Amino acid sequence: MKQALAWALCATAALPGMAQAEITSAEIGLDYSTFGDADARDAHKATLGGALEFAITPQFAFQGDLAQRYYSFANWKGTTFTGHGIFHAGPDTAIGGFVGKDWLSHDNGGEFYGFEARQSLGPIAVEGYGLYFDGEKEDGYGVGLRGDYQLTNQLTVGGRFDTLNTDMGMPRLSATTSYEFAPGYAVNGELGYADPKNSDKEVFLTLGVKATFGPGQGVTFGGRGLQEILPGY
């Protein structure tokens, strides 16, 4: 299954006889995540990441994500790369598949792959995914759902739920917000609740900034993988 999906993504990006691929959207952002409990505030995560989306045809596109993360816990460092094959079924509907790789400095990374979909209904946008994580020391299934509501041209609020059934996984539920203070530039916030395995439940906070480039309104899909789900640490 994993090999078939990987070949499908490669084929999407190399369809013969199609129009020349062009970059439709690009993003770069910096986030800082930490826990609210006094005993866990020294467990935090900083993320620098970016994404590019290429239009192969008006319907088919490829998105590539790359993120570098720095963890205070045990001085970990992590990298995630994800490739998405995307079919735009309409101006407000997208479905796709993805494959990716998580690298962690303490040698507990792995590969992941799955399917995803996004639907916009006026000011409301909903995105969901399902994935399988095949780690060097563990594996498991994960799902996620995110919704956003654009209150004004600048302010968006929403919510997010993710869970990954591995030894490092955790259910997480959060409220999100984004404010575009200048065209293409926004500040982001997330306040949530995580339930790490073999640990106490924790409130976490994430703050970040993001810049968007190109004619699109940002890339189609969000980040994927084990490290995308973990807050703090």
Side-chain angles (χ1 to χ4, degrees), residues 5-28:
L5 180 57
W7 278 112
L9 292 177
C10 293
T12 298
L15 289 172
M18 299 299 180
Q20 184 178 359
E22 62 176 350
I23 297 176
T24 56
S25 294
E27 295 180 356
I28 187 169

Side-chain angles (χ1 to χ4, degrees), residues 215-228:
Q217 300 296 314
V219 296
T220 300
F221 290 116
R224 302 288 180 252
L226 171 67
Q227 297 183 76
E228 177 68 21

